[in-house]
Amino acid sequence: MNIAMIAHDSKKREMANFTYAYKQFLEGHSLFSTRTTGQQIKEKTKLNIKCFQSGPLGGFQEIGALVGRNEIDMIIFFRDPLTAKPHEPDVNELQRLSDVYKIPMATNMGTAEILVKSLENGNMEWRNIVNEDRNRELEKQEALLRGIQLLMNGR
């Protein structure tokens, strides 16, 4: 599964500790993160994690694009609900996308643990079905493009 991991500044240490606690499980998945959060996770756990820009500098949009292409299966985003953020519209957009594309999203450690335990117990197999459907659709699109290219080259 593809898991996005994001944390506001005041929650980055909490995210690194959470990831360390579930390191053995998470190393079997593809991890994605915004830059600073990902760097702190790497330092603490040595896990392989694909880092994007920092959240306010485009990282939220980069992860949102993956959600929009159905390439993220879960989002763990430790938010700081007590501090106003100038990039709050970006955070809201990521939450909206997770709702639109039915991607489970945890915004605190308690919910994150439930999602990870669910995944660990095989309770998210429905995402495999969604991914199989996406792969079939991509194969159809590629076949159509190849057909169009053949027609155009035959002219």
Side-chain angles (χ1 to χ4, degrees), residues 42-68:
K42 282 180 184 180
E43 287 173 14
K44 178 95 176 180
T45 66
K46 308 297 186 237
L47 286 169
N48 185 23
I49 187 163
K50 164 81 169 126
C51 295
F52 296 106
Q53 294 293 324
S54 293
L57 299 178
F60 293 126
Q61 288 89 351
E62 290 176 297
I63 290 174
L66 293 176
V67 171

Side-chain angles (χ1 to χ4, degrees), residues 16-29 31 41-42 44-48 116:
N17 289 336
F18 175 84
T19 308
Y20 185 79
Y22 287 100
K23 178 183 175 181
Q24 280 189 309
F25 175 73
L26 291 170
E27 64 191 0
H29 298 278
L31 305 178
I41 291 170
K42 282 180 184 180
K44 178 95 176 180
T45 66
K46 308 297 186 237
L47 286 169
N48 185 23
V116 167

Side-chain angles (χ1 to χ4, degrees), residues 4-154:
M5 306 185 83
I6 309 163
H8 281 145
D9 289 345
S10 64
K11 301 289 183 174
K12 289 185 189 317
R13 175 181 250 184
E14 190 174 309
M15 175 64 80
N17 289 336
F18 175 84
T19 308
Y20 185 79
Y22 287 100
K23 178 183 175 181
Q24 280 189 309
F25 175 73
L26 291 170
E27 64 191 0
H29 298 278
S30 297
L31 305 178
F32 302 83
S33 186
T34 49
R35 176 172 287 145
T36 312
T37 301
Q39 288 172 341
Q40 289 190 19
I41 291 170
K42 282 180 184 180
E43 287 173 14
K44 178 95 176 180
T45 66
K46 308 297 186 237
L47 286 169
N48 185 23
I49 187 163
K50 164 81 169 126
C51 295
F52 296 106
Q53 294 293 324
S54 293
L57 299 178
F60 293 126
Q61 288 89 351
E62 290 176 297
I63 290 174
L66 293 176
V67 171
R69 291 192 308 266
N70 199 34
E71 295 176 13
I72 292 291
D73 298 300
M74 178 189 299
I75 301 170
I76 299 175
F77 185 173
F78 288 178
R79 297 180 63 231
D80 177 357
L82 300 178
T83 306
K85 304 286 185 271
H87 60 272
E88 198 65 31
D90 298 329
V91 173
N92 292 338
E93 180 62 14
L94 189 58
Q95 288 180 304
R96 186 188 74 77
L97 285 169
S98 77
D99 289 340
V100 167
Y101 291 98
K102 300 170 185 64
I103 306 300
M105 181 176 186
T107 59
N108 60 66
M109 190 181 293
T111 309
E113 185 168 40
I114 290 169
L115 286 182
V116 167
K117 289 289 189 181
S118 257
L119 181 57
E120 195 173 36
N121 291 329
N123 296 333
M124 290 190 50
E125 290 304 310
W126 61 273
R127 287 297 302 162
N128 291 331
I129 295 167
V130 169
N131 290 333
E132 288 171 10
D133 290 346
R134 177 178 56 91
N135 290 339
R136 274 195 295 274
E137 187 60 35
L138 287 172
E139 288 171 5
K140 286 181 192 176
Q141 290 174 2
E142 289 171 0
L144 178 62
L145 286 173
R146 281 193 303 273
I148 290 170
Q149 288 173 339
L150 287 173
L151 286 173
M152 293 181 75
N153 290 336

